[in-house]
Amino acid sequence: MTVHILGATHTGADALWQALSERLGPLAGFAGHLHPPAALPDGAFTLTPPALVVLMGLDWPCPAAEQPQRAEQDAHLRQGLALQGMVYRVLYGSLERRLASV
């Protein structure tokens, strides 16, 4: 199973990845991609066809000075997913709520 976990800075993508790793143990057969995916020279990115793509919502705390960058990263991720025609789910809420949604 391939799962892509995407999220801008301060959205909890790393925390979700860590929680999944702890819950599932060794992730044999489980591939994940954290935020942001590797960009191509033109700023686009590609993902292999996954079983599940999740994008972290922007509801987690973020320092005011970093909010514009976070919003720009989020927009870039959403645009890239749309350009690839990728279906994805946006996860909001606490880490436990997000974990239960995966």
Side-chain angles (χ1 to χ4, degrees), residues 2-99:
T2 300
V3 175
H4 297 284
I5 299 172
L6 306 174
T9 304
H10 301 291
T11 60
D14 291 319
L16 181 59
W17 176 254
Q18 182 65 34
L20 282 172
S21 298
E22 290 171 6
R23 181 168 285 185
L24 300 175
L27 298 177
F30 182 90
H33 300 276
L34 291 175
H35 64 290
L40 299 173
D42 63 359
F45 61 88
T46 60
L47 299 175
T48 57
L52 177 64
V53 175
V54 294
L55 177 65
M56 302 299 99
L58 299 181
D59 57 328
W60 280 30
C62 179
E66 295 181 39
Q67 288 178 1
Q69 177 187 7
R70 180 172 79 161
E72 183 178 321
Q73 289 173 349
D74 183 71
H76 177 77
L77 290 169
R78 290 172 187 261
Q79 179 183 30
L81 290 166
L83 287 172
Q84 293 182 60
M86 301 290 280
V87 176
Y88 63 96
R89 294 179 13 205
V90 181
L91 302 183
Y92 295 98
S94 68
L95 179 59
E96 280 303 314
R97 182 173 177 189
R98 291 176 179 195
L99 190 57

